[in-house]
Amino acid sequence: MTTFFGYKNNSMEDAMTNHNQDKYVISLYDYTGEALKPWAEAGYKCIAYDIQHTEQRTELFDGGGYISYIYADLHNIGTLDKIYDSMTGREVTFAMAFPVCTDMAVSGAAHFKRKREADPLFQRKAANYAIWCAELFQALDCPYFIENPVSVLSTLWRKPDYSFHPFEYGGYIEPDQAAHPKWPDYIAPMDAYPKKTCLWTGGGFTMPDKSPVEPETGHSRQHLKLGGKSMKTKNIRSATPRGFAQAVFNANCATMQDLRYRKMVYEACVIPNETT
């Protein structure tokens, strides 16, 4: 009798394993989930919290990850406490936040006087919402960024650590995917538009290297078509550029964090011993 022994292809099996299945990425004030997609595609468990998510839903990705869209009133500090409790004991790999900029962006400065007459503390409250996000992420001990346009957050909190324009990261988009899959009429192919955006970062966040494309000439279609006060245009305006989202993932994913950690240990332990 002949016995056949199955061959176990360890490298193939390892390649098919989702090594990120127990890692979490969270995003606050996030309606579109665009910033989470590279993480979900790589197998991470992603959660987008926003007050507009009136019905919880989950979007599945081929890489084994997902994005859960969860209702959250993030202007209630108790909500952030609940998020912290829900993440305690879990491996939060990365976090990001896009707090409402309406009361802080310098583009709305013409309305500040009227708002201040109605509520002298309106900007301090708006700044606190961003600071709460940073405090939550620091408590979770993970790399993070908090995004806002050029705004008074720079004076009410601290200067941003970085700034960028979407076109500076357009090269991270594959040319055959140049057109935006959701809003091609509103967003230039390859994110080829300017829009100065500031980042407040911490927890070991790594700013990705730029890969710029040539921006469209004249006023961008974002500027021309996304004015107004409707939630649709606000949500499209606030959606994270695809190229930048991919670049942030590439620079801050668990693999890169592990490589940086090993390099740090090597430099701390090996390099000093070279002189002994």
Side-chain angles (χ1 to χ4, degrees), residues 50-62:
D50 193 88
I51 201 167
Q52 295 181 75
H53 300 315
T54 54
E55 294 184 6
Q56 183 173 336
R57 64 184 179 89
T58 298
E59 182 180 4
L60 303 177
F61 289 77
D62 291 339

Side-chain angles (χ1 to χ4, degrees), residues 14-53:
D14 186 66
M16 295 174 65
T17 301
N18 179 7
H19 297 285
N20 300 318
Q21 61 186 355
D22 295 322
K23 299 180 176 70
Y24 287 80
V25 178
I26 64 174
S27 186
L28 310 185
Y29 297 93
D30 190 346
Y31 177 70
T32 67
E34 292 295 305
L36 291 169
K37 287 183 176 179
W39 300 87
E41 289 168 350
Y44 289 78
K45 295 179 178 178
C46 303
I47 305 176
Y49 297 95
D50 193 88
I51 201 167
Q52 295 181 75
H53 300 315

Side-chain angles (χ1 to χ4, degrees), residues 146-269:
I146 295 167
E147 181 265 342
N148 234 234
V150 178
S151 72
V152 298
L153 194 56
S154 299
T155 54
L156 294 176
W157 183 21
R158 61 179 176 83
K159 298 293 183 183
D161 298 284
Y162 305 99
S163 65
F164 73 95
H165 290 278
F167 75 86
E168 294 175 323
Y169 290 92
Y172 283 86
I173 301 172
E174 295 294 335
D176 62 351
Q177 300 174 14
H180 198 287
K182 283 188 175 180
W183 308 296
D185 294 335
Y186 296 95
I187 297 178
M190 305 287 284
D191 291 342
Y193 65 95
K195 181 187 177 185
K196 188 174 182 180
T197 304
C198 299
L199 300 177
W200 290 258
T201 67
F205 171 84
T206 298
M207 188 66 175
D209 294 332
K210 295 178 181 179
S211 181
V213 297
E214 189 68 27
E216 291 184 336
T217 57
H219 288 298
S220 69
R221 63 187 74 186
Q222 269 238 350
H223 179 82
L224 294 173
K225 296 185 177 182
L226 291 176
K229 300 178 180 179
S230 73
M231 286 308 300
K232 176 183 176 181
T233 57
K234 286 182 179 180
N235 287 331
I236 298 175
R237 281 201 307 266
S238 65
T240 301
R242 289 182 298 151
F244 183 70
Q246 186 65 52
V248 167
F249 167 77
N250 291 1
N252 293 275
C253 65
T255 301
M256 291 304 299
Q257 289 180 31
D258 184 55
L259 289 173
R260 284 193 291 269
Y261 174 76
R262 292 182 186 182
K263 181 175 182 290
M264 179 182 68
V265 171
Y266 174 81
E267 291 175 346
C269 300

